[in-house]
Amino acid sequence: MAYVLQVDFKHEGPFGDEMAAAFSDLAKSINDEKGFMWKIWTENRETNEAGGIYMFETKTDAENYLTMHTKRLNGFGITNVHAKLFEINEALTTITHGPLQ
Amino acid sequence: MAYVLQVDFKHEGPFGDEMAAAFSDLAKSINDEKGFMWKIWTENRETNEAGGIYMFETKTDAENYLTMHTKRLNGFGITNVHAKLFEINEALTTITHGPLQ
């Protein structure tokens, strides 16, 4: 049963191409995290927010990543991290073409 | 440029198979919303929360859906709807295998 982790926080930039350049090495490293399946990188320069939508193989993998990631964000000076962890309703998600893998 | 909409709210159930049975017709109808690409249906029976992660073709499509969906949730008696709309950083998302279509 895959789990979704949604994370967002205040972020003053960089956004867009500058954000991609700043975090491409970090992005590559995330692919090696235990149980990691995929991440959508989110950003909103109007509200000064950024974050991610992640899919993990298990709840424990998602929880362990969130613990590590929150400490990492704190190290960047980001302390107001909002995170929610959810099971996926696979039957409904299949109807609406949601990516499950 | 696709947009991500993340929505969550307090939900006392049903969850799982019962939730799927209750909302399958609604799920089918969401496929017909303007600019809709996909939805992952989220649920957490420990925290009594549910919601969704959506991908829309444009920001306007996502905003219009959120306006309609919030009214619909209010009609179900759900008033504490948390929603955030984000652009996608496509370069970083490509590195981490995030679904963009």
Side-chain angles (χ1 to χ4, degrees):
Chain A
M1 171 69 81
Y3 272 71
V4 166
L5 173 65
Q6 61 186 54
V7 178
D8 54 81
F9 45 82
K10 283 289 173 186
H11 175 70
E12 304 299 326
F15 294 103
D17 291 344
E18 292 180 13
M19 183 179 172
F23 295 111
S24 63
D25 285 345
L26 178 61
K28 290 170 192 165
S29 79
I30 292 173
N31 287 331
D32 297 328
E33 298 291 345
K34 186 171 185 303
F36 174 81
M37 296 172 67
W38 55 253
K39 174 183 179 182
I40 295 172
W41 292 66
T42 55
E43 58 178 79
N44 187 330
R45 63 188 79 200
E46 294 174 10
T47 60
N48 282 320
E49 291 177 294
I53 311 291
Y54 302 75
M55 186 87 84
F56 283 92
E57 291 175 2
T58 72
K59 184 179 182 181
T60 299
D61 290 333
E63 289 173 336
N64 288 343
Y65 179 85
L66 177 60
T67 299
M68 179 278 293
H69 186 46
T70 301
K71 288 178 184 172
R72 181 164 62 193
L73 288 167
N74 292 349
F76 294 161
I78 296 166
T79 54
N80 52 353
V81 179
H82 302 129
K84 285 182 183 289
L85 184 63
F86 289 103
E87 284 185 60
I88 295 167
N89 191 299
E90 293 191 6
L92 292 171
T93 299
T94 299
I95 292 173
T96 53
H97 312 293
L100 288 170
Q101 293 184 333
Chain B
M1 171 70 81
Y3 272 72
V4 165
L5 174 66
Q6 60 185 56
V7 178
D8 54 81
F9 44 82
K10 284 289 173 184
H11 175 70
E12 304 298 325
F15 294 104
D17 291 346
E18 290 180 15
M19 184 180 171
F23 295 110
S24 63
D25 285 344
L26 177 60
K28 291 171 192 165
S29 80
I30 291 173
N31 287 330
D32 297 326
E33 298 290 345
K34 185 170 184 307
F36 174 82
M37 296 171 67
W38 53 255
K39 175 184 179 182
I40 295 172
W41 292 67
T42 56
E43 58 178 79
N44 188 329
R45 63 187 79 199
E46 294 175 10
T47 59
N48 282 321
E49 291 177 294
I53 310 291
Y54 302 76
M55 186 87 83
F56 283 91
E57 292 175 2
T58 72
K59 184 178 182 183
T60 299
D61 290 332
E63 288 173 338
N64 288 342
Y65 180 83
L66 177 60
T67 299
M68 179 279 292
H69 186 45
T70 301
K71 289 179 185 172
R72 180 163 61 191
L73 288 167
N74 291 349
F76 293 161
I78 296 167
T79 55
N80 53 354
V81 179
H82 302 129
K84 285 182 182 288
L85 184 64
F86 289 103
E87 284 186 60
I88 295 167
N89 191 299
E90 293 191 7
L92 292 170
T93 299
T94 298
I95 293 173
T96 54
H97 312 294
L100 288 170
Q101 294 183 332

